[in-house]
Amino acid sequence: MTLRAAVLTAALASVPVSTVPAPSDNVLLVVNRRSQPSNQIADHYIQVRHLQERNVVRLETTEADSISRADFASTIEAPISRWIERQRLHDQILFIVVTKGVPLRVEGTSGQLGTEASVDSELTLLYRKMLGKPAPLAGRVDNPYFLGDKPITAAAHFTRQASDLYLVTRLDAFTVEDALKLIDRGAAPVNDGKIVLDQKATVMDRGGDAWLAAAAARLREMNQGSRIALETTTAVAGSTEPVLGYFSWGSNDPANQRRQMGLRFANGAIGGMFVSTDGRTFKEPPADWRPAVAGSSTGGQSLIGDLIREGITGVSGHVSEPFLDAIIRPQVLFPAYLSGFNLAESFYMAMPYLSWQDIVIGDPLCSVSAGAAAPPGASPDVDPETELPRIFAERQLALLTQSGLNVDALKLALKAGSFQAQERPVADIEALLVKATALEPRLVAAQLKLAQMAEAQNRFDDAIQRYRAVLATEPGNIAALNNLAYQLAERKDGAKEALPLAERAYALSGRAPVIADTLGWVHYQLGELPAALPLIEQAAKAEPSNLDILVHAAMVNAAMNNVPKARAFLDAALKVDPKVIDRADVKALAARIR
């Protein structure tokens, strides 16, 4: 069974250097085709922000709040990265906007070293992953854009030149109607209103109260003292005037077990709460539900959906326990927002960690400062040597050249990857890879891609040569070991040479099903049926829709005169693809066991 191996990736769209992107050109909108709310909200946002279709990626994933790590990678992360590569938007996109109907949470373990995280926070690292940088699964990742204790005068707009991240926000709420109103408020913000800061004023958790006091102090330093409404007692904060900023302890404040704050939020108002799970869901609770303190058995903590319903335009939340030190810093959030930074910049400047539990609700372009709706976007010009966006190309080459490989060969391989993402002619891609490997035979990914291309064109001798070249550089390359073993056994009557290769691939892979099939098939070719059967049946059990594995299982069982099982596996193969009966080997098998 042949494994697929990824070639060096790349991609990005060609626009004249003199073109300055409009603010919406820096946005990539993510839509779940399976979700009606997602499509309705996306249609409205596209209209309001005049998004081009190339700035909209439509994928298919679950509508549930939680998604497995594997499904996140295959149904969310991979389609987004493929779209960015195909459209060559790596550098131009600064903000990813996720819509209601896309899962909130990637399942995993809990705790500060856990693997659970919000979908949105994981997507902030997508640019790095496309570059080929490692992204740890466990724990949280320091946010380099976090302002921390530095003064607001040290803050800078988020740009592609300075960052290898995406800022991710979400258009979500209890209902589609709530989300549409949120979009409209974000498109028409005002720079007017109080900043309401509600301390818990208890002996516990004084750190959050200190941050609220620091927010008030920083705003006074900015001559915004008249806007501050800092509640320092156990009373619940309020205001009779419009509110542009709000931060509290939510239901973690014993005095604040309420869903509505009684505030009149101005268009463009932003805020958050020191609440561990306030973004855990946007499924609206019953009308008689009331939030409770953490650990209570009476109902659960506050939900940011209620703040959105009440009229806030941007709000941070948490899909699971973030721990207090990871929560948005109000002393950064509000000074940044009032200094001219947009909604996304303000929240992420105040966010200590990525790949964690945070979500940010709101239109990233929302800004209460005229003329400051978006930071300057990267010039979307393309490097002609790699056919990649220039900044992305420079960063990827800087990483790849650390390997000591020929730079010109690396550029050709990157160009081939970009061509592949753009679905350019296969012959053009192959020609680039041939040149690259001639300059640098140690380009493993390019050699593997050429081998796969050769297999697809029935040039099996060429494929075998490429796999041998890979193993000369990486003797433990699992894909090359497996694929070479399969081709030798299947095409060259070379099962004896293939056996140690397949055994090594099987051991190195941790007994992966597809490689178990290869090893079993080599044993079959050698006439070692008792050794072949358990391996191939193991593979068939793990991969019940893999056509080749099912056919192999039918053939091995037929060779062992287990006709009922052979028929069952053949029937399963025919269900996967009825046309498999046209294959000569399958037709001969069917004639034997029917």
Side-chain angles (χ1 to χ4, degrees):
M1 181 59 55
T2 302
L3 292 178
R4 292 184 176 273
V7 73
L8 295 172
T9 57
L12 212 88
S14 161
V15 181
V17 176
S18 60
T19 300
V20 178
S24 61
D25 289 339
N26 299 137
V27 172
L28 182 70
L29 183 67
V30 179
V31 189
N32 184 2
R33 282 197 185 99
R34 296 180 183 174
S35 168
Q36 184 177 357
S38 181
N39 285 280
Q40 288 178 269
I41 292 165
D43 288 346
H44 188 65
Y45 188 70
I46 290 167
Q47 182 179 21
V48 168
R49 286 298 183 186
H50 308 292
L51 259 63
Q52 301 179 59
E53 267 306 303
R54 68 195 298 262
N55 290 73
V56 182
V57 56
R58 303 178 191 275
L59 46 79
E60 293 188 8
T61 190
T62 178
E63 294 182 72
D65 283 346
S66 298
I67 188 170
S68 70
R69 175 68 62 173
D71 287 345
F72 164 73
S74 63
T75 68
I76 297 177
E77 193 174 52
I80 295 173
S81 62
R82 282 197 299 268
W83 184 261
I84 289 172
E85 289 168 352
R86 182 180 177 185
Q87 301 296 328
R88 295 191 294 180
L89 292 170
H90 307 63
D91 291 346
Q92 187 171 318
I93 295 302
L94 300 178
F95 312 109
I96 295 177
V97 180
V98 180
T99 47
K100 184 178 184 64
V102 174
L104 288 163
R105 178 173 39 254
V106 181
E107 296 166 352
T109 56
S110 59
Q112 287 189 320
L113 296 177
T115 58
E116 183 180 45
S118 79
V119 164
D120 305 13
S121 195
E122 291 291 70
L123 289 175
T124 62
L125 303 182
L126 186 58
Y127 189 99
R128 289 184 179 180
K129 290 183 179 181
M130 289 191 292
L131 282 172
K133 289 185 176 181
L137 289 180
R140 51 204 192 180
V141 174
D142 288 340
N143 176 11
Y145 194 55
F146 177 49
L147 190 63
D149 294 330
K150 289 179 284 190
I152 197 64
T153 52
H157 279 299
F158 182 80
T159 65
R160 181 53 59 225
Q161 291 88 342
S163 179
D164 61 356
L165 303 170
Y166 292 117
L167 303 188
V168 183
T169 70
R170 175 177 286 261
L171 302 175
D172 213 332
F174 288 146
T175 65
V176 170
E177 181 183 3
D178 286 348
L180 299 184
K181 289 179 179 178
L182 177 107
I183 293 169
D184 291 340
R185 293 194 295 268
V190 298
N191 191 351
D192 181 43
K194 289 284 188 179
I195 307 297
V196 176
L197 307 170
D198 190 1
Q199 292 184 331
K200 184 160 59 168
T202 66
V203 294
M204 299 293 292
D205 301 319
R206 297 298 298 166
D209 277 3
W211 293 339
L212 293 170
R218 283 194 173 190
L219 290 171
R220 291 189 194 100
E221 291 171 2
M222 295 170 58
N223 296 318
Q224 298 287 337
S226 62
R227 306 180 78 149
I228 301 167
L230 174 64
E231 180 56 67
T232 60
T233 74
T234 56
V236 176
S239 176
T240 58
E241 299 179 49
V243 172
L244 191 62
Y246 173 76
F247 220 101
S248 77
W249 287 88
S251 57
N252 283 329
D253 183 343
N256 191 1
Q257 312 294 298
R258 58 175 72 179
R259 292 185 66 175
Q260 300 298 313
M261 300 300 117
L263 301 173
R264 183 157 52 95
F265 287 112
N267 282 2
I270 63 170
M273 297 182 287
F274 299 126
V275 175
S276 301
T277 61
D278 51 355
R280 63 189 178 273
T281 187
F282 285 94
K283 293 179 174 66
E284 186 169 2
D288 61 353
W289 175 80
R290 292 293 178 272
V293 294
S296 171
S297 60
T298 61
Q301 296 179 307
S302 299
L303 290 168
I304 56 175
D306 281 319
L307 288 174
I308 298 167
R309 173 70 56 81
E310 197 165 3
I312 206 164
T313 302
V315 61
S316 59
H318 314 95
V319 301
S320 190
E321 174 61 65
F323 302 95
L324 184 61
D325 68 320
I327 288 182
I328 294 290
R329 300 290 199 269
Q331 69 269 37
V332 177
L333 176 67
F334 298 119
Y337 196 52
L338 295 180
S339 295
F341 294 95
N342 67 29
L343 184 149
E345 292 175 304
S346 300
F347 276 103
Y348 277 90
M349 208 178 290
M351 184 185 297
Y353 303 107
L354 306 172
S355 189
W356 200 228
Q357 315 303 337
D358 304 78
I359 57 173
V360 175
I361 304 299
D363 180 350
L365 303 181
C366 174
S367 173
V368 296
S369 296
S379 178
D381 60 322
V382 170
D383 168 34
E385 290 188 293
T386 62
E387 285 289 328
L388 287 170
R390 192 172 299 278
I391 298 171
F392 186 87
E394 290 171 355
R395 286 175 170 152
Q396 194 159 49
L397 276 172
L399 286 172
L400 293 173
T401 51
Q402 294 174 13
S403 64
L405 298 175
N406 182 285
V407 175
D408 290 332
L410 289 170
K411 290 178 180 179
L412 288 167
L414 290 176
K415 189 173 185 177
S418 183
F419 275 21
Q420 184 179 16
Q422 297 171 65
E423 301 179 351
R424 300 276 284 270
V426 172
D428 293 349
I429 299 167
E430 187 170 13
L432 289 168
L433 293 174
V434 167
K435 289 180 181 178
T437 54
L439 285 171
E440 180 56 88
R442 296 175 296 166
L443 275 177
V444 167
Q447 295 280 20
L448 286 171
K449 183 61 184 175
L450 283 169
Q452 293 162 16
M453 289 177 163
E455 286 179 341
Q457 298 168 34
N458 296 325
R459 294 186 286 109
F460 301 112
D461 287 344
D462 288 349
I464 287 170
Q465 179 185 347
R466 295 291 178 183
Y467 289 132
R468 292 192 191 280
V470 171
L471 294 175
T473 301
E474 290 186 6
N477 187 287
I478 295 171
L481 286 166
N482 179 82
N483 296 2
L484 177 57
Y486 188 80
Q487 292 301 335
L488 288 172
E490 185 74 358
R491 313 290 179 188
K492 306 299 291 183
D493 195 24
K496 286 186 179 180
E497 182 186 357
L499 183 59
L501 298 170
E503 288 175 333
R504 181 163 169 73
Y506 185 59
L508 290 172
S509 72
R511 302 185 176 185
V514 171
I515 301 179
D517 173 72
T518 297
L519 179 56
W521 193 242
V522 171
H523 280 299
Y524 171 79
Q525 299 281 31
L526 290 169
E528 300 168 352
L529 301 181
L533 184 63
L535 288 162
I536 289 181
E537 289 197 341
Q538 167 200 335
K541 183 178 179 180
E543 301 279 348
S545 60
N546 189 306
L547 186 65
D548 287 333
I549 292 177
L550 292 171
V551 170
H552 289 168
M555 289 183 172
V556 173
N557 275 283
M560 297 187 74
N561 297 316
N562 192 336
V563 174
K565 288 190 76 172
R567 286 174 181 163
F569 281 118
L570 180 58
D571 289 342
L574 290 169
K575 285 182 180 178
V576 172
D577 183 4
K579 293 180 181 178
V580 74
I581 195 64
D582 296 332
R583 279 173 38 177
D585 56 344
V586 176
K587 193 173 292 184
L589 171 67
R592 285 172 52 204
I593 64 177
R594 293 303 187 193

